[in-house]
Amino acid sequence: MDGFYKAPMEKQMSESTESPVITKEQKRIAKEIEAVFEKFYGGKTAYSRGQFYKDDFFLRTDYALVMLNKNNEILVSFADHTRPSYAALFAFMLEGIEGANLFICEDYKTDEDGSMVCDEEDGSTTAAIIWDQKERYYTMLKRKVEHIVIRRTRKPPAK
């Protein structure tokens, strides 16, 4: 290593420009969000891993988009083809995460292949996004959870 110190991955992640400050509480909640989808998909990690980008955590599956913001609010939007029973199950499981409030947002549209429609006016989908355009991608995901339909807030813990 020739005297080169490499910070632990956890420290690198919190100091990068894409993830400025990620608290232990946010990491814990993010892991619990991932656990919900691991249970649903039977441990298939491709469908149950999210990513922190800037101040927010994102997890997107073929059924739902979940965002955890810096205020520990879980915002979830379901694909328009998601069965109501699946949406109810996900909401129930996400609601059980301690320390976070749950917000159900408007469903997002998908194309006939199930790709998220990015722009409803021109019909472009996530299948067309160039994956090195992270800012554009995550900004689009944030727009998908802007319109809240149901708020499930918890009382602050008693002291």
Side-chain angles (χ1 to χ4, degrees), residues 10 16 26 33 42 86 91 95 98 120 122 125 143 145 148:
E10 191 171 286
S16 77
Q26 286 173 306
I33 291 169
Y86 287 3
E95 183 182 23
E98 290 294 321
E120 294 179 30
D122 71 8
T125 67
R143 282 194 315 265
V145 293
I148 296 170

Side-chain angles (χ1 to χ4, degrees), residues 33 37 57-61 64-68 74-77 94 145:
I33 291 169
F37 289 90
F57 173 79
F58 297 87
L59 187 144
R60 196 176 129 226
T61 70
L65 162 64
V66 181
M67 185 181 104
L68 172 67
I74 300 170
L75 296 106
V76 62
S77 176
L94 291 169
V145 293

